[in-house]
Amino acid sequence: MTTTQALTVRQNGTAATALLVGPALMAGYGVVRLVGRAVSDYGPGVWWTTAHLLFLAGVLAFVPVFLGLRVLAGERGGGRAAAEVAAWTGLLGAAAVVVQAVIDLTAGFAAADKQAMSEMFDRVQGVPGVMPLVYTVVPMLFWLGLLALVTLLAFLRRDAVRWWTPVLVLAGTVLMAVNLDLLPVGALCLGVALMPVRRGLSA
């Protein structure tokens, strides 16, 4: 086995694990958030910090997912080029979401109460360009990149990515976008959608 082949096998193994870990961490974020809102005002404190650490870890877990899935499109051709674009689009969105999570965690550590945290968010979000780059436009590229990538692979690699995978990814994304309280259900959709892809990465 060449060094390149060994690196590919290792990358695919990491991606296969991340396909399970990423959605699980996001589901954990959703559950902790719901519990925190039920037992407190969900401001600065252990619930906020724990939830957002899970969120940050969940997003970071999707980095090897994007890098691994793009390999399934093959080494050359238009399909690989399209997969590269989709993967790097998703990674750009992931970077924005990571920044958002870090801001949330920093505000949680620095603020004395929920009102102070809200004021910190207002100041940060009031900086020109922050809202589209960190909160509204660019973060959506994470979900669009993931959806585009699995949709493309559902056509190119039907042996590895089932036709219903993009449907469940879309359903999970919509659920989480409609209401953050639906995060656990949306993350479950992602987990079910991506679980069979692990076999393709392991093949």
Side-chain angles (χ1 to χ4, degrees), residues 3-93:
T3 302
T4 300
Q5 289 173 327
L7 287 172
T8 299
V9 170
R10 182 176 179 181
Q11 183 184 67
N12 287 353
T14 302
T17 301
L19 284 167
L20 295 179
V21 174
L25 288 168
M26 287 190 171
Y29 162 55
V31 171
V32 172
R33 178 182 176 275
L34 286 173
V35 174
R37 286 165 60 87
V39 302
S40 70
D41 61 357
Y42 192 59
V46 64
W47 293 108
W48 177 275
T49 300
T50 302
H52 284 81
L53 284 173
L54 288 169
F55 178 51
L56 176 60
V59 175
L60 290 174
F62 272 87
V63 172
V65 169
F66 282 114
L67 295 176
L69 289 181
R70 67 188 178 128
V71 177
L72 288 179
E75 296 183 0
R76 296 182 181 82
R80 178 55 185 264
E84 290 282 351
V85 171
W88 288 105
T89 296
L91 288 170
L92 177 60

Side-chain angles (χ1 to χ4, degrees), residues 10 40 67 69-70 77 79 89 99 109 111 118 132 138 146 149-150 154-155 158 160 167 180 187 198:
R10 182 176 179 181
S40 70
L67 295 176
L69 289 181
R70 67 188 178 128
T89 296
V99 173
F109 282 121
S118 179
V138 179
L146 180 62
L149 190 54
V150 296
F155 285 99
R158 296 179 183 179
V167 177
L180 286 178
R198 298 178 71 246

